[in-house]
Amino acid sequence: FMNLGFSFNPVLSRTSPYSTLGAGFLLIPTEGLSFSFTVLDSDGTISSSGFDTVFNGNTTYSGELIVDTEFFSKSGRHTFGISASTKDFTSVDQDPRIFVPPLDAAVAKEDGSWAIYYNFDQYLATDPGDPTKGWGLFGRFGISDGDANILHRFYSLGIGGTGIIPGRNRDRFGVGYYFLQLSKNRLGLLTDDDEQGFEAFYNISITPWFELSADLQVIDGVGRLSDTAVVGGLRGRIVF
């Protein structure tokens, strides 16, 4: 997939700093079960080392539990996570008068932000001779506070797999749909209530070292002044 909505849960974008210092641990008590926890500096930026802000108190805490399953003798994975930041963020619920300079209205702030998410993938059919070949369902769900985070809820669901056509064991395909709901507290001057999109791709393994992917996206964006976008793409990949 080329759309980030199918590879990343966007409700995490508010609490996850782009470039930062941090520390964490990974615990694997048994096969098929893992838990990770990280502590990050919420003030990290790409223009500094981060050591000057790491102890200032603005911190992001993230925990994630991953469970591998074998429902109906088919492998699957379920991820449960939470991310929370103590940083003060600009609120999405603002007094409209902040856009009128003479009135000089104060910008509203929110004390922290949080997001909870769940991701899963589950095989529904596999090759008897190779359990890594087959197709199944995948999905992502997330919810945020909706006060500091304008991305309030996110849902995606799709079907994908590898080697479903006889003789094309390395080919991959995917079809997915996502729905992104914005916070009800936003000003809404240039945005509608939500965004939704569809994507389909087929990846052809021409040789073991060269792949070619055809992709189609249809996106109904949040902008009130924008039309529904239809985007086609062709991508090549060389494996060294």
Side-chain angles (χ1 to χ4, degrees):
F1 287 97
M2 296 185 183
N3 193 303
L4 288 178
F6 296 111
S7 58
F8 172 73
N9 210 315
V11 297
L12 296 172
S13 59
R14 191 56 163 163
T15 58
S16 301
Y18 178 73
S19 178
T20 187
L21 290 178
F25 67 84
L26 173 65
L27 179 64
I28 307 177
T30 184
E31 183 178 0
L33 180 66
S34 65
F35 175 75
S36 62
F37 184 80
T38 57
V39 180
L40 305 173
D41 173 23
S42 298
D43 293 322
T45 66
I46 60 175
S47 60
S48 67
S49 64
F51 287 100
D52 55 342
T53 60
V54 70
F55 299 114
N56 284 354
N58 292 327
T59 307
T60 296
Y61 303 92
S62 300
E64 186 173 85
L65 177 69
I66 300 178
V67 181
D68 293 336
T69 58
E70 289 288 337
F71 294 140
F72 311 109
S73 300
K74 301 293 188 298
S75 62
R77 172 166 290 189
H78 304 263
T79 302
F80 306 86
I82 184 171
S83 179
S85 175
T86 62
K87 183 178 180 178
D88 287 342
F89 295 96
T90 300
S91 176
V92 299
D93 185 15
Q94 295 287 340
D95 186 333
R97 293 176 298 174
I98 66 172
F99 297 108
V100 183
L103 297 181
D104 197 23
V107 176
K109 296 286 187 178
E110 294 291 341
D111 183 13
S113 182
W114 58 265
I116 300 173
Y117 62 96
Y118 165 63
N119 308 328
F120 80 93
D121 56 80
Q122 174 65 53
Y123 273 112
L124 300 180
T126 56
D127 185 336
D130 186 353
T132 65
K133 308 294 184 184
W135 62 274
L137 289 173
F138 64 87
R140 298 176 186 273
F141 306 92
I143 184 171
S144 76
D145 53 272
D147 295 319
N149 194 338
I150 195 172
L151 308 181
H152 187 35
R153 291 188 178 92
F154 177 80
Y155 314 89
S156 70
L157 189 65
I159 300 175
T162 305
I164 64 168
I165 298 178
R168 307 295 308 173
N169 294 332
R170 292 191 300 268
D171 288 3
R172 294 178 288 111
F173 84 97
V175 179
Y177 167 82
Y178 75 89
F179 179 88
L180 177 61
Q181 182 183 20
L182 300 183
S183 170
K184 296 298 184 183
N185 293 329
R186 77 203 187 291
L187 283 174
L189 296 179
L190 297 174
T191 60
D192 289 321
D193 289 339
D194 51 56
E195 174 177 309
Q196 55 186 335
F198 165 86
E199 183 175 2
F201 79 90
Y202 192 88
N203 180 280
I204 304 172
S205 179
I206 297 176
T207 71
W209 54 269
F210 181 61
E211 298 176 349
L212 192 64
S213 298
D215 181 270
L216 176 66
Q217 296 185 58
V218 180
I219 302 173
D220 180 14
V222 299
R224 289 184 175 178
L225 303 180
S226 61
D227 297 327
T228 299
V230 179
V231 182
L234 191 63
R235 177 176 62 181
R237 177 171 178 257
I238 297 176
V239 181
F240 294 96

